[in-house]
Amino acid sequence: MNIKIATFFFGNNYGALLQAYYLKKFINEKFIEKKIDFFKYQPKKFIFREEFSPMIKKNPIKILNGLIRFRKLRKWKKKNISLNFNYKKEQNMSKKEISIYGSDEIWNFSNPFFGYDNFFFGKNDDNFKISYAASFGTAKINDKDHRFKYEIKNLLTRFSFISVRDKHSWDILNSQFNLKSEIVLDPVHLINDNFSKNDEKNVKDKCIIYGNHFSKQQIKKIIDYCNSKKLEILSIGYYNDWAKNNINLDPFEYLKEIKNSKIIFTSMFHGIQFAVKYKKNFWFSVDPYRKNKLEYFLSKLNLKTREINDDHNFDEEIDYINLNDKLEEWKVFSQEFLIKSINSFAR
C-alpha cells in the first residue's frame, strides 16, 4: 500500500521545503512498510514564481544570486525530497492508496500567484483522503458565490479526516461548510530533533533576521539593540540592506543558522515555528499576509507579546519550561491524529 502527499514540495521557500521534508520523514518512520511519495503535480505559476522569477532581474548580481540559489536548492531537493515533478494533474482512481493533503496554503484559493486549484482539494482522487495541517491562508468565502462554495464543500466532504494548522481555516470549515476539523501543529514539529546541549556550544554572537516586513522604527530598534550587545546581524533567505545577507543557504544550512543564533527577528510563519522548536529567544513583526496563519499558534502558546513594539526590552526571555508542556501536549495530539487517521484505512 502506498501513501502519497499533495503539497508544495518544490518551492524555494525554506518553510515550504522543510514542512514537506518533515511530514514525509515522520510518516516514513511510523509506517516503514509503506511506500511514501509526493504527488508529482506542482502548479506552473508556483514553480515560475519560486524558481525562475528570482533570476529574471536587470541587476547582474541578483541574476547570479538567483542562479546560485536555484542550483543549490535543486541539489538539496534531489537528495532530500525529489526532482520528479510535472505540471500535469494526476488522476488517482485506484481507491487502494492513501492520499495526504498538506501542509501549507494548499487551500488558499485567494493566493495572488495561482489562485484556486481543485487538485489540492482532491479533485479526481478517489483514494482514502486525509488533510494534515492544511491552510486557507488569507482566503475568505464570498457568501454570494454559491456555486464555488458548493464545489469546495463537495470536494472536502470526500475527505475521511480533516486537520488544519490555524483557527481561520477551522472557522471556514465550520461556519461555511459545516465540516469538523482539528487544529494540529505544522509538520516541522512532528520530528523531535530539538535543540540539544551539544548545539549550545555552537551558539555565536549573532542575530538572525528572517523576512523583510519590518518598519523603519522596528529596524532602528533591532540595530540599536544588536549594536549594544555586539551582535552580528545576518539576514537569511531574504535580502535586507540594513544587515549582512546570506540568501543562498540550503534548508539544512538555514536551520543551522537558526540554531546557532542568540536571537531571532522574523516576519515569517516558519521563522516563528523554528524559533519555538529550537527554544530560541525571538521577536516578530506582523505581516498581514501571514496573520491568519499565526494567530492561533501565538495565542495557544502565549506568545503574542513577542510582537516588536517600542516598549519591549529584547533581553526578555521566553519561559520555555511552561511553553514546552503545552507544545508537547499539542505535538502528541498532532502525531496521534495523523497515525490514527492512516491506521483507520486498514480497518
Side-chain angles (χ1 to χ4, degrees):
M1 183 192 305
N2 297 334
I3 297 176
K4 298 188 80 172
I5 301 169
T7 190
F8 302 136
F9 70 88
F10 213 80
N12 277 4
N13 175 284
Y14 296 133
L17 288 171
L18 287 166
Q19 64 84 18
Y21 168 81
Y22 277 107
L23 180 58
K24 184 173 184 288
K25 184 178 180 182
F26 177 78
I27 298 171
N28 265 322
E29 289 181 359
K30 299 299 180 181
F31 298 92
I32 57 175
E33 77 284 0
K34 292 179 171 41
K35 181 182 177 182
I36 320 296
D37 203 358
F38 293 99
F39 281 98
K40 296 181 180 65
Y41 170 69
Q42 296 287 272
K44 187 178 294 185
K45 290 182 179 179
F46 170 72
I47 296 298
F48 178 81
R49 176 181 73 106
E50 292 287 301
E51 287 210 323
F52 301 111
S53 180
M55 292 183 281
I56 305 175
K57 306 290 182 182
K58 294 181 179 180
N59 187 322
I61 295 176
K62 290 184 178 180
I63 294 173
L64 179 61
N65 277 329
L67 285 168
I68 293 171
R69 184 180 176 89
F70 175 88
R71 291 188 64 184
K72 195 162 195 175
L73 290 178
R74 276 279 175 128
K75 183 179 179 181
W76 186 89
K77 292 171 195 175
K78 182 179 181 180
K79 184 177 180 180
N80 297 285
I81 296 185
S82 172
L83 283 183
N84 192 8
F85 80 96
N86 59 47
Y87 304 128
K88 184 179 180 180
K89 295 183 181 181
E90 300 160 72
Q91 296 188 7
N92 205 329
M93 310 294 286
S94 70
K95 298 185 180 181
K96 296 179 181 179
E97 298 182 343
I98 297 173
S99 300
I100 297 177
Y101 288 76
S103 163
D104 222 328
E105 293 182 34
I106 59 169
W107 292 344
N108 187 358
F109 51 80
S110 296
N111 186 289
F113 301 103
F114 43 86
Y116 172 61
D117 192 328
N118 58 20
F119 173 83
F120 292 104
F121 287 84
K123 182 76 170 180
N124 297 323
D125 181 2
D126 287 342
N127 281 326
F128 184 84
K129 292 190 287 293
I130 300 165
S131 81
Y132 184 81
S135 176
F136 282 95
T138 56
K140 294 181 180 179
I141 298 289
N142 185 345
D143 289 333
K144 295 180 181 179
D145 196 351
H146 296 296
R147 289 183 62 187
F148 181 58
K149 186 175 176 181
Y150 174 79
E151 179 179 348
I152 293 178
K153 181 175 182 178
N154 185 47
L155 291 172
L156 291 178
T157 52
R158 300 177 186 176
F159 279 70
S160 297
F161 296 92
I162 299 178
S163 69
V164 293
R165 70 180 186 186
D166 56 80
K167 183 67 161 49
H168 174 67
S169 299
W170 187 94
D171 286 338
I172 288 178
L173 290 168
N174 182 55
S175 63
Q176 299 296 326
F177 305 126
N178 196 29
L179 293 173
K180 294 181 179 180
S181 63
E182 302 289 353
I183 302 178
V184 295
L185 280 166
D186 187 88
V188 303
H189 293 284
L190 293 175
I191 301 291
N192 295 317
D193 57 342
N194 296 322
F195 193 75
S196 67
K197 290 290 183 182
N198 287 331
D199 292 317
E200 292 178 7
K201 296 182 291 187
N202 297 318
V203 172
K204 298 176 176 62
D205 292 330
K206 186 182 296 183
C207 160
I208 291 298
I209 309 297
Y210 182 51
N212 51 18
H213 192 89
F214 301 94
S215 68
K216 291 181 179 179
Q217 292 83 357
Q218 289 174 332
I219 292 170
K220 183 179 185 306
K221 186 173 175 65
I222 293 169
I223 292 173
D224 288 345
Y225 173 79
C226 291
N227 286 340
S228 71
K229 299 294 181 179
K230 298 182 179 180
L231 299 177
E232 176 189 8
I233 305 176
L234 177 65
S235 180
I236 56 176
Y238 293 87
Y239 183 83
N240 287 285
D241 60 11
W242 47 277
K244 181 180 176 181
N245 290 272
N246 192 342
I247 61 174
N248 297 323
L249 301 167
D250 71 32
F252 291 156
E253 291 171 336
Y254 159 82
L255 291 182
K256 185 177 179 180
E257 291 291 356
I258 295 288
K259 286 183 178 182
N260 290 348
S261 66
K262 282 201 170 178
I263 191 168
I264 298 164
F265 295 93
T266 184
S267 60
M268 305 296 292
F269 175 85
H270 280 102
I272 292 176
Q273 300 301 313
F274 283 112
V276 171
K277 180 180 176 72
Y278 298 127
K279 302 179 180 63
K280 309 302 292 186
N281 193 27
F282 78 92
W283 298 87
F284 72 93
S285 65
V286 177
D287 183 340
Y289 183 81
R290 294 170 174 85
K291 185 176 181 181
N292 286 339
K293 296 189 291 184
L294 276 167
E295 186 75 21
Y296 184 79
F297 182 85
L298 294 169
S299 296
K300 186 175 179 70
L301 299 180
N302 297 322
L303 291 170
K304 296 185 75 172
T305 58
R306 306 307 290 185
E307 181 180 350
I308 302 170
N309 63 44
D310 293 336
D311 299 329
H312 278 141
N313 172 7
F314 291 151
D315 284 328
E316 183 183 336
E317 296 283 346
I318 297 171
D319 181 3
Y320 274 110
I321 294 176
N322 289 326
L323 185 152
N324 283 339
D325 289 339
K326 294 181 181 179
L327 186 65
E328 188 61 29
E329 182 180 351
W330 195 5
K331 183 189 300 180
V332 170
F333 173 81
S334 301
Q335 292 170 333
E336 289 182 348
F337 169 86
L338 188 52
I339 292 170
K340 288 178 181 179
S341 298
I342 294 173
N343 279 336
S344 68
F345 176 68
R347 299 172 188 173

